[in-house]
């Protein structure tokens, strides 16, 4: 079969199963169909041997079995597989989610960023259009406000003009594309910081939500929802586990409850609990991050207020880093909003995979079945076995670890998601393991047990029970992910599984930071600085040395000069002196005014001329 199950054959089977389910009114994802094909092939009850080639009849039987299981909506196993596929395809950790969001944002901003950075020298009207594009880019990049909000656009424009006037566009256009992109990001951060400060001073802030206040209300609500659903699913798992144990102890109870799919229901609830624990851990991390961010934001705002105060002008190098720090913290708040929304959606969407329990086991029926049965919680089971411990001297070739003696105990990667390694394959139950009993180290892997007896039995032949667990996972394919057994079935993973096979581990592998350092040059340098490879350079140096051999330096001294020395004198320069020898004076002389009378003559033939002197006396002037 290993030769037959090539990529093309698997794809053909998956495609035919998907078409058959669609024809019967169920449109299923390709990943879910692929997972089911894997589950049917692994199930030993279906008799698909891994050592023989599949015939056409085998392919038809495989398709029909897959279709039947995919359309059986009353089987909790199908709900569990759907839940696992959904979680694989949709869950992302903090780093992956934020990286994906940044990639999406860059894609949205790419057209306007390209229009800004690829433009060359342009006219005045085009300059104004480019400036408006920069305003839009800054607004979209910050995620604070909408371009449709006129008031937000005005605030961004005013803040941008204060740090990047339109006249600087000429210099901006001359920059390289990379420098333009960096300056645009810095401008977006500066403008965001300015707007946040103005909002704090109640001078603006249109379109800016109070993210810290929103997170303070939303995170406790999300944590409360997770805790409530965890408690309800754990209670349901405790009930199923009690019923399954009563079936194994009482044959009458077994005949009464064997028709119910209690094991499948138990695995479904346990998988749901495991996923909820992952989401709860992320929510707790977000709560801690928000608490730290809140303190940092208040501190940064206080420093900025003390720096700015009521000053009319302030140096940019002093205040710009504070605005950018505010913007970075606000971006972190936006990231936490995104993460919280993602976690809330995941929590709500996972709830649909538990609906089958209310259909198969109504509360009245479950209460009736539990009459006379003692329901124990995981904490009670562990508490009962806290005083029992494996005697290490009973095992010569086995290594046992205990919480108080093991180094980095919390970082040990316990197999089977912390369930009892013995009860899975023997009883088909997911009993909680108690590390206080003893942790068996076998082939660099660690196993825990629910009782001392189970630990002793497992330690007698660990490989046998490990193989039993693998066979149980083949029968119930949902256990492959629940028990973290993907490495056991790598030969069937090539097409069926989703993006990253390692992403679905319930507990991340232990990691640590390490570093090494070596000398740049261990041996002393052996470079000969006087070496010359150029023959003409060597010739030039040889000619220079040959010429120097014929050169002499001559010097002589006379009787008149051998006792001479240089003398210096210093004089005071004359001062600028001024003297006055006279003074200017002036007088005003009256203007002569003399008139002659009788020049024209008269009736008599003789002319009689009279001189009239009207000049004013000197003393009257």
């Amino acid at each position: 079969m290993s030769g037959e199950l090539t990529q093309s054959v698997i794809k053909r089977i998956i495609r035919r199963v998907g078409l058959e389910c669609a024809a019967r009114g169920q449109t299923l994802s390709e990943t879910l169909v692929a997972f089911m094909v894997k589950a049917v092939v692994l199930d030993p009850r279906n008799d698909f041997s891994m050592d023989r080639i599949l015939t056409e009849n085998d392919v038809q039987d495989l398709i029909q079995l897959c279709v039947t299981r995919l359309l059986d909506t009353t089987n909790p196993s199908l709900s569990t597989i759907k839940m696992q596929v959904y979680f694989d395809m949709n869950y992302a950790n903090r780093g992956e989610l934020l990286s994906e969001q940044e990639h999406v944002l860059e894609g949205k901003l790419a057209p306007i960023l390209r229009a800004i950075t690829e433009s060359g020298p342009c006219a005045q009207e085009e300059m104004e259009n480019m400036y408006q594009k920069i305003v839009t880019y800054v607004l979209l990049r910050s995620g604070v406000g909408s371009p449709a909000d006129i008031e937000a656009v005005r605030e961004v424009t005013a803040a941008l003009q204060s740090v990047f006037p339109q006249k600087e566009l000429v210099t901006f256009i001359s920059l390289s594309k990379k420098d333009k992109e960096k300056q645009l990001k810095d401008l977006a951060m500066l403008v965001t910081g300015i707007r946040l400060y103005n909002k704090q001073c109640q001078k603006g802030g249109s379109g800016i939500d109070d993210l810290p206040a929103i997170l303070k209300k939303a995170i406790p609500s999300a944590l409360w929802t997770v805790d409530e659903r965890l408690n309800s699913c754990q209670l349901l798992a405790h009930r199923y586990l009690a019923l399954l144990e009563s079936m194994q102890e009482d044959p009458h109870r077994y005949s009464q409850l064997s028709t119910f799919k209690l094991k499948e229901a138990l695995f479904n609830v346990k998988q749901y609990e495991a996923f909820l624990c992952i989401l709860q851990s992320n929510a707790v991390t977000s709560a801690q991050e928000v608490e730290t961010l809140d303190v940092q934001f208040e501190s940064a705002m206080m420093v900025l207020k003390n720096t700015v105060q009521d000053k009319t002008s302030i140096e940019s190098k002093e205040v710009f880093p504070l605005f950018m720090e505010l913007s970075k913290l606000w971006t972190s708040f936006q990231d936490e909003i995104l993460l919280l929304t993602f976690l809330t959606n995941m929590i709500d969407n996972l709830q649909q995979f538990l609906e089958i329990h209310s259909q198969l086991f109504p509360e009245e029926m479950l209460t009736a079945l539990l009459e006379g049965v003692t329901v124990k919680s995981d904490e009670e089971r562990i508490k009962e076995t806290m005083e029992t411990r494996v005697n290490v001297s009973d095992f010569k070739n086995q290594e046992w670890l205990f919480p108080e003696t093991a180094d980095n105990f919390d970082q040990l990667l316990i197999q089977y998601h912390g369930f009892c390694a013995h009860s899975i394959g023997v009883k088909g139950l997911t009993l909680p393991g108690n590390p206080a009993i003893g942790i068996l180290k076998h082939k660099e892997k660690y196993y825990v047990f629910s009782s001392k007896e189970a630990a002793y039995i497992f330690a007698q032949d660990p490989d046998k029970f490990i193989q039993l667990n693998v066979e149980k996972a083949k029968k119930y394919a949902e256990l492959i992910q629940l028990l973290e057994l993907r490495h056991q079935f790598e030969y069937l993973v090539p097409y069926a599984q989703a993006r990253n096979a390692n992403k679905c581990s319930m507990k991340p592998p232990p990691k640590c930071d390490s570093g090494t350092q070596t000398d740049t040059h261990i041996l002393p340098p052996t470079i000969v600085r006087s070496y010359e490879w150029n023959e003409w350079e060597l010739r030039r140096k040889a000619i220079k040395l040959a010429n120097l051999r014929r050169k002499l330096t001559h010097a002589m001294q006379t009787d008149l000069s051998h006792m001479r020395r240089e003398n210096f004198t210093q004089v005071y320069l004359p001062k600028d002196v001024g003297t006055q020898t006279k003074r200017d004076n002036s007088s005003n002389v009256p203007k002569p005014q003399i008139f002659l009378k009788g020049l024209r003559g008269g009736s008599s033939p003789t002319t009689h001329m009279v001189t009239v002197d009207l000049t004013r006396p000197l003393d009257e002037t």
Side-chain angles (χ1 to χ4, degrees), residues 298-582:
E298 292 295 333
S299 176
M301 186 64 75
M302 185 62 65
V303 171
L304 183 58
K305 283 185 176 180
N306 294 336
T307 303
V308 177
Q309 293 179 350
D310 296 329
K311 298 178 182 178
T312 56
S313 63
I314 189 170
E315 292 187 8
S316 59
K317 65 180 181 180
E318 183 178 358
V319 74
F320 278 12
L322 301 179
F323 284 134
M324 297 185 77
E325 181 65 22
L326 271 187
S327 177
K328 290 178 182 178
L329 293 173
W330 196 258
T331 302
S332 299
F333 279 122
Q334 292 174 325
D335 292 341
E336 295 304 325
I337 288 286
L338 173 67
L339 290 166
L340 184 61
T341 303
F342 169 76
L343 293 176
T344 304
N345 292 336
M346 289 289 294
I347 293 169
D348 293 339
N349 292 333
L350 284 177
Q351 187 67 19
Q352 62 181 313
F353 301 108
L354 283 189
E355 295 176 353
I356 192 170
H357 295 277
S358 60
Q359 302 173 10
L360 296 179
F361 305 100
E363 185 63 28
E364 298 79 7
M365 177 190 296
L366 199 57
T367 303
L369 293 174
L370 286 170
E371 288 184 2
V373 179
T374 303
V375 179
K376 298 179 182 178
S377 65
D378 291 349
E379 292 77 12
E380 291 173 344
R381 292 176 184 274
I382 293 176
K383 189 175 181 180
E384 290 177 354
T385 56
M386 285 298 293
E387 303 302 326
T388 59
R389 174 175 291 205
V390 171
N391 189 0
V392 180
S393 60
D394 296 339
F395 303 91
K396 297 181 179 179
N397 300 323
Q398 301 287 358
E399 182 179 357
W400 291 87
L401 304 175
F402 298 95
E404 64 273 11
T405 60
D407 295 333
N408 300 325
F409 173 75
D410 294 336
Q411 298 182 6
L412 293 180
L413 187 60
I414 305 298
Q415 296 297 304
Y416 307 129
H417 195 49
F419 295 122
C420 176
H422 174 263
S423 62
I424 295 171
V426 177
K427 301 178 181 179
L429 303 179
T430 51
L431 294 174
N434 185 3
I437 297 174
I439 305 172
L440 176 64
K441 183 180 181 181
H442 178 69
K443 295 181 179 179
E444 302 303 323
K445 296 181 180 179
Y446 304 93
Y447 303 88
V448 292
F449 308 95
S450 59
S451 64
K452 182 178 178 181
E453 294 75 16
Y456 272 74
I457 296 173
F458 185 91
Q460 292 177 1
D461 191 356
D463 294 329
K464 170 188 172 182
F465 292 100
I466 291 173
Q467 186 59 34
L468 283 177
N469 295 339
V470 173
E471 294 299 324
K472 187 66 68 175
K474 290 181 179 179
K475 188 176 180 180
Y476 300 96
E478 60 268 30
L479 288 178
I480 295 175
Q481 180 164 336
L482 178 60
L483 302 180
E484 303 171 2
L485 295 176
R486 287 178 176 269
H487 60 282
Q488 299 279 355
F489 302 95
E490 291 179 352
Y491 53 86
L492 277 179
V493 175
Y495 181 77
Q497 294 310 308
R499 300 168 296 182
N500 190 351
N502 296 325
K503 192 179 71 174
C504 302
S505 299
M506 301 302 171
K507 185 176 180 181
K511 299 179 180 179
C512 63
D513 294 332
S514 62
T516 59
Q517 186 175 1
T518 59
D519 293 334
T520 305
H521 298 291
I522 300 176
L523 300 176
T526 58
I527 300 175
V528 180
R529 301 293 180 183
S530 61
Y531 172 75
E532 277 291 346
W533 63 271
N534 192 336
E535 181 181 353
W536 291 101
E537 181 65 20
L538 292 174
R539 289 187 178 189
R540 189 185 68 79
K541 289 184 176 180
I543 293 172
K544 182 178 179 181
L545 292 174
N547 290 336
L548 286 175
R549 292 183 60 190
R550 297 193 297 267
K551 302 298 182 183
L552 295 176
T553 301
H554 298 275
M556 64 174 55
Q557 199 170 19
T558 64
D559 292 336
L560 297 178
S561 66
H562 78 283
M563 294 295 289
R564 297 274 180 94
R565 64 182 178 86
E566 294 181 354
N567 294 327
F568 298 92
T569 60
Q570 185 176 5
V571 298
Y572 290 101
L573 296 177
K575 296 189 298 179
D576 292 336
V577 180
T579 60
Q580 186 174 2
T581 59
K582 68 176 182 177

Side-chain angles (χ1 to χ4, degrees), residues 90-370:
N90 292 276
Y91 176 75
N93 57 34
R94 290 176 62 90
E96 292 173 345
L97 186 62
L98 296 179
S99 176
E100 183 179 353
Q101 177 64 19
E102 180 68 19
H103 181 70
V104 171
L105 179 61
E106 293 292 345
K108 290 182 178 179
L109 295 176
I112 188 170
L113 182 62
R114 194 181 306 113
I116 296 172
T117 57
E118 294 182 358
S119 60
C122 48
Q124 181 64 29
E125 183 178 353
E126 295 176 349
M127 287 279 193
E128 295 178 358
N129 293 335
M130 181 186 292
Y131 199 80
Q132 291 302 318
K133 290 179 182 178
I134 294 176
V135 171
T136 304
Y137 173 85
V138 169
L139 188 57
L140 293 175
R141 179 82 190 180
S142 65
V144 182
S146 169
D149 187 351
I150 298 177
E151 188 62 29
V153 173
R154 288 176 179 171
E155 289 184 11
V156 172
T157 304
L160 183 62
Q161 287 177 346
S162 65
V163 297
F164 184 72
Q166 189 170 345
K167 62 182 180 180
E168 294 187 10
L169 276 177
V170 178
T171 306
F172 176 81
I173 292 174
S174 63
L175 297 175
S176 64
K177 183 177 180 180
K178 186 176 181 180
D179 292 337
K180 288 180 182 178
E181 293 177 356
K182 183 180 183 304
Q183 185 169 354
L184 286 174
K185 290 182 180 179
D186 292 343
L187 288 175
M189 296 178 67
L190 279 174
V191 171
T192 303
I194 293 172
R195 293 186 65 201
L196 290 171
Y197 176 75
N198 291 339
K199 176 180 173 61
Q200 188 71 15
C201 299
Q202 298 181 353
K203 296 180 180 179
S206 176
I208 302 178
D209 298 324
D210 191 355
L211 299 187
I214 294 174
L215 287 168
K216 285 181 181 179
K217 293 181 180 179
I219 289 180
S221 176
L223 287 173
W224 181 84
T225 302
V226 174
D227 291 339
E228 185 183 24
R229 294 183 181 179
L230 263 178
N231 293 333
S232 62
C233 78
Q234 288 171 350
L235 177 60
L236 199 57
H238 300 158
R239 291 180 170 185
Y240 290 154
L241 202 53
L243 288 175
L244 287 168
E245 287 181 322
S246 68
M247 286 175 58
Q248 296 180 354
E249 296 171 358
D250 186 358
H252 176 69
R253 296 279 296 177
Y254 180 84
S255 60
Q256 180 186 3
L257 299 174
S258 59
T259 57
F260 297 101
K261 300 176 180 179
L262 284 173
K263 285 186 180 180
E264 291 88 339
L266 174 63
F267 299 152
N268 178 272
V269 176
K270 283 294 184 181
Q271 184 64 83
Y272 178 77
E273 179 186 355
F275 288 154
L276 276 188
C277 287
I278 295 175
L279 299 178
Q280 184 188 42
S281 175
N282 291 345
V284 170
T285 303
S286 290
Q288 296 171 349
E289 189 69 20
V290 168
E291 186 176 354
T292 303
L293 286 174
D294 200 17
V295 175
Q296 293 177 349
F297 186 80
E298 292 295 333
S299 176
M301 186 64 75
M302 185 62 65
V303 171
L304 183 58
K305 283 185 176 180
N306 294 336
T307 303
V308 177
Q309 293 179 350
D310 296 329
K311 298 178 182 178
T312 56
S313 63
I314 189 170
E315 292 187 8
S316 59
K317 65 180 181 180
E318 183 178 358
V319 74
F320 278 12
L322 301 179
F323 284 134
M324 297 185 77
E325 181 65 22
L326 271 187
S327 177
K328 290 178 182 178
L329 293 173
W330 196 258
T331 302
S332 299
F333 279 122
Q334 292 174 325
D335 292 341
E336 295 304 325
I337 288 286
L338 173 67
L339 290 166
L340 184 61
T341 303
F342 169 76
L343 293 176
T344 304
N345 292 336
M346 289 289 294
I347 293 169
D348 293 339
N349 292 333
L350 284 177
Q351 187 67 19
Q352 62 181 313
F353 301 108
L354 283 189
E355 295 176 353
I356 192 170
H357 295 277
S358 60
Q359 302 173 10
L360 296 179
F361 305 100
E363 185 63 28
E364 298 79 7
M365 177 190 296
L366 199 57
T367 303
L369 293 174
L370 286 170

